[in-house]
Amino acid sequence: MAPGAKRFTELRAWQACNTYKQAIYRMCAEGPLSRDWERRRQLEESAAGPPAHIAEGFGRFNPREFGRFTVIARASLMESQNHLHDAVDKQYITEATRVELNSLAEVALGEVTGLMEYLQSEEALRNARRARERRIATRQARRSQIVLADKDGVANEQRTPNPNQEPRTRTKNLEPELRTEPEHEQ
């Protein structure tokens, strides 16, 4: 796993799976396989699953849950490899094309397996714990930036969510409104 990856697209496993998926899409768009809608759909779906599963797992912020999604990604890669054999059997692609695409699938399998092993390690749990602690500390720091009470009972809240953005100031009156007009009777 890329140390400190902030986006799933930074993960080598996602990149390898996405490269494989794109090659499958190109192959399916031409030749006799392009006209066999059912087999084409099966192959494209099995190749599209792994990068999607890795992206979804990355969004879980939990190594064990993320690990479950890498297992599914790995199984989908193997399923797509089987569909390539079917495509050769049906004479939709040549053995040479299958071997070429299979080599991309093997690279993706290696990266996904490496990610899966990392996610099952104590190091992943420690890193996840540290990341969670940083998120909590950042959240607390943002909350502590709130400056309360000036002499008029008005709170000034200043936050800078984006370092490239000018600081914003919001003012909120903490005192209840005083009614100066009599209420209408019903």
Side-chain angles (χ1 to χ4, degrees), residues 7-8 17 25 32 40 44 48 58-59 67-69 75 77 80 85 90 97 104 106 115 121 130 134 143 162 168 186:
R7 304 278 180 260
F8 65 85
C17 290
Y25 285 178
R40 178 181 177 171
E44 287 180 338
F58 183 83
R68 282 193 1 252
F69 283 90
L77 284 166
S80 71
H85 283 284
K90 293 286 282 181
T97 299
L104 292 174
E106 288 295 325
L115 176 59
S121 73
R130 281 195 297 267
R134 281 192 306 270
R143 287 180 183 152
N162 180 345
R168 297 180 319 183
Q186 297 180 3

Coordinates of all heavy atoms in Angstrom, one line a residue, residues 7-8 17 25 32 40 44 48 58-59 67-69 75 77 80 85 90 97 104 106 115 121 130 134 143 162 168 186:
R7 N -5.7 9.0 -1.7 CA -6.8 8.6 -2.7 C -6.5 7.2 -3.1 O -5.4 6.7 -3.2 CB -6.7 9.5 -4.0 CG -6.8 11.0 -3.7 CD -8.3 11.4 -3.5 NE -8.4 12.8 -3.3 CZ -8.6 13.3 -2.1 NH1 -8.7 12.6 -1.0 NH2 -8.7 14.6 -2.0
F8 N -7.6 6.5 -3.4 CA -7.5 5.1 -3.9 C -6.7 5.0 -5.2 O -6.1 4.0 -5.4 CB -8.9 4.4 -4.0 CG -9.8 5.0 -5.0 CD1 -9.7 4.6 -6.4 CD2 -10.7 6.0 -4.7 CE1 -10.5 5.1 -7.3 CE2 -11.5 6.5 -5.7 CZ -11.4 6.1 -7.0
C17 N -5.1 -3.0 -11.5 CA -6.4 -3.5 -11.8 C -7.0 -2.7 -12.9 O -7.7 -3.2 -13.8 CB -7.3 -3.6 -10.6 SG -6.8 -4.9 -9.4
Y25 N -11.4 -3.9 -21.9 CA -12.4 -3.1 -22.6 C -12.0 -2.9 -24.0 O -12.9 -3.0 -24.9 CB -12.6 -1.7 -21.9 CG -13.4 -1.7 -20.6 CD1 -13.5 -0.5 -19.9 CD2 -14.0 -2.8 -20.1 CE1 -14.3 -0.4 -18.7 CE2 -14.7 -2.8 -18.9 CZ -14.8 -1.6 -18.2 OH -15.5 -1.5 -17.1
P32 N -15.0 -10.7 -32.8 CA -16.2 -11.5 -32.6 C -16.8 -11.4 -31.2 O -18.0 -11.5 -31.0 CB -15.8 -12.9 -33.0 CG -14.4 -13.0 -33.1 CD -13.9 -11.6 -33.2
R40 N -19.3 -11.0 -23.4 CA -18.6 -9.7 -23.3 C -19.0 -9.1 -22.0 O -18.1 -8.6 -21.3 CB -19.1 -8.8 -24.5 CG -18.4 -7.4 -24.4 CD -18.9 -6.6 -25.5 NE -18.3 -5.2 -25.4 CZ -18.4 -4.3 -26.3 NH1 -19.0 -4.5 -27.4 NH2 -17.8 -3.1 -26.1
E44 N -16.3 -8.2 -19.1 CA -16.1 -6.7 -18.7 C -16.5 -6.5 -17.2 O -15.8 -5.8 -16.5 CB -17.0 -5.8 -19.6 CG -16.4 -5.7 -21.0 CD -17.2 -4.8 -21.9 OE1 -18.4 -4.6 -21.6 OE2 -16.7 -4.3 -22.9
A48 N -14.0 -5.2 -14.4 CA -14.4 -3.9 -13.8 C -14.5 -4.0 -12.2 O -14.3 -3.0 -11.5 CB -15.7 -3.4 -14.3
F58 N -11.0 1.0 0.3 CA -10.2 2.1 0.7 C -11.1 3.1 1.5 O -10.6 3.7 2.5 CB -9.5 2.8 -0.5 CG -8.6 3.9 -0.1 CD1 -7.3 3.7 0.2 CD2 -9.1 5.2 -0.2 CE1 -6.5 4.7 0.6 CE2 -8.2 6.3 0.2 CZ -6.9 6.0 0.5
G59 N -12.3 3.3 1.1 CA -13.2 4.2 1.7 C -13.7 3.8 3.1 O -14.3 4.5 3.8
G67 N -9.6 -5.3 3.8 CA -9.1 -6.6 3.4 C -10.1 -7.5 2.8 O -9.9 -8.3 1.8
R68 N -11.4 -7.5 3.3 CA -12.5 -8.2 2.7 C -12.7 -7.9 1.2 O -12.9 -8.7 0.4 CB -13.8 -8.0 3.5 CG -13.8 -8.8 4.8 CD -15.2 -8.8 5.4 NE -16.3 -8.2 4.7 CZ -16.9 -7.0 5.1 NH1 -16.5 -6.4 6.2 NH2 -17.8 -6.5 4.4
F69 N -12.6 -6.6 0.9 CA -12.8 -6.1 -0.4 C -11.6 -6.5 -1.3 O -11.9 -6.8 -2.5 CB -13.0 -4.6 -0.5 CG -14.4 -4.2 0.0 CD1 -14.7 -3.9 1.3 CD2 -15.4 -4.1 -0.9 CE1 -15.9 -3.6 1.7 CE2 -16.7 -3.8 -0.6 CZ -17.0 -3.5 0.8
A75 N -10.7 -12.5 -6.3 CA -11.6 -13.5 -6.9 C -12.1 -13.0 -8.3 O -12.2 -13.9 -9.2 CB -12.7 -13.8 -5.9
L77 N -10.6 -11.0 -10.4 CA -9.5 -11.1 -11.3 C -9.4 -12.5 -11.8 O -9.2 -12.8 -13.1 CB -8.2 -10.7 -10.7 CG -8.0 -9.2 -10.5 CD1 -6.9 -8.9 -9.6 CD2 -7.8 -8.5 -11.9
S80 N -12.1 -13.4 -14.3 CA -11.9 -12.8 -15.6 C -10.9 -13.6 -16.4 O -11.0 -13.8 -17.6 CB -11.5 -11.3 -15.5 OG -10.2 -11.2 -15.0
H85 N -10.1 -17.7 -21.0 CA -10.0 -19.1 -21.5 C -11.2 -19.5 -22.3 O -11.1 -20.1 -23.4 CB -9.8 -20.1 -20.3 CG -8.4 -20.1 -19.8 ND1 -7.3 -20.7 -20.4 CD2 -7.9 -19.6 -18.6 CE1 -6.2 -20.6 -19.7 NE2 -6.6 -19.9 -18.6
K90 N -14.0 -20.4 -27.5 CA -15.0 -20.0 -28.5 C -14.4 -19.4 -29.7 O -15.1 -19.0 -30.6 CB -16.0 -19.0 -27.9 CG -16.8 -19.6 -26.8 CD -17.9 -20.4 -27.3 CE -19.1 -19.6 -27.8 NZ -20.2 -20.4 -28.3
T97 N -3.3 -13.5 -27.5 CA -4.0 -12.4 -26.9 C -4.4 -12.7 -25.4 O -4.2 -11.9 -24.6 CB -5.3 -12.1 -27.7 OG1 -5.0 -11.7 -29.0 CG2 -6.1 -11.0 -27.0
L104 N -1.2 -9.1 -17.7 CA -1.7 -7.9 -16.9 C -2.5 -8.3 -15.7 O -2.4 -7.7 -14.7 CB -2.6 -7.1 -17.9 CG -1.9 -6.4 -19.0 CD1 -2.9 -5.7 -19.9 CD2 -0.8 -5.4 -18.5
E106 N -2.1 -11.1 -14.0 CA -1.1 -11.6 -13.0 C -0.4 -10.5 -12.3 O -0.2 -10.6 -11.0 CB -0.1 -12.5 -13.7 CG -0.7 -13.8 -14.1 CD -1.1 -14.7 -13.0 OE1 -0.5 -14.7 -11.9 OE2 -2.1 -15.4 -13.1
L115 N -1.4 -6.1 -1.2 CA -2.2 -5.2 -0.5 C -3.0 -6.0 0.6 O -3.1 -5.6 1.8 CB -3.1 -4.4 -1.4 CG -4.2 -3.5 -0.7 CD1 -3.5 -2.4 0.2 CD2 -5.0 -2.8 -1.8
S121 N -1.8 -7.3 8.4 CA -0.6 -7.2 9.3 C -0.9 -6.3 10.4 O -1.8 -5.4 10.4 CB 0.6 -6.7 8.5 OG 0.4 -5.3 8.2
R130 N -3.1 5.2 14.1 CA -2.4 6.5 14.0 C -3.2 7.5 13.2 O -3.4 8.7 13.5 CB -1.0 6.4 13.5 CG 0.0 6.0 14.6 CD 1.4 6.2 14.2 NE 1.8 5.4 13.0 CZ 2.4 4.2 13.1 NH1 2.6 3.7 14.2 NH2 2.7 3.6 12.0
R134 N -5.0 11.0 14.3 CA -4.7 12.3 13.6 C -6.0 12.9 13.2 O -6.2 14.2 13.3 CB -3.8 12.1 12.4 CG -2.4 12.0 12.7 CD -1.5 12.1 11.4 NE -1.9 11.1 10.4 CZ -1.4 9.9 10.2 NH1 -0.5 9.4 11.1 NH2 -1.8 9.1 9.3
R143 N -12.2 22.5 16.3 CA -13.2 22.9 17.3 C -12.6 24.0 18.2 O -13.3 24.9 18.7 CB -13.8 21.8 18.1 CG -14.7 20.9 17.2 CD -15.2 19.7 18.0 NE -16.0 18.9 17.2 CZ -16.2 17.6 17.4 NH1 -15.6 17.0 18.4 NH2 -16.9 16.9 16.6
N162 N -9.4 25.4 4.1 CA -8.5 25.2 2.9 C -7.4 26.2 3.1 O -7.6 27.4 3.1 CB -9.3 25.4 1.6 CG -8.4 25.2 0.4 OD1 -7.2 25.2 0.5 ND2 -9.1 25.1 -0.7
R168 N -12.5 32.7 6.8 CA -13.9 33.3 6.9 C -14.2 33.6 8.3 O -13.7 33.0 9.2 CB -14.9 32.2 6.4 CG -14.7 31.8 5.0 CD -15.7 30.8 4.6 NE -15.9 29.8 5.7 CZ -16.6 28.8 5.6 NH1 -17.3 28.5 4.6 NH2 -16.8 27.9 6.7
Q186 N -54.5 36.2 19.9 CA -55.2 35.4 19.0 C -56.6 35.2 19.4 O -57.1 35.2 20.5 CB -54.6 34.0 19.0 CG -53.2 34.1 18.4 CD -52.5 32.7 18.4 OE1 -53.2 31.7 18.7 NE2 -51.3 32.6 18.0

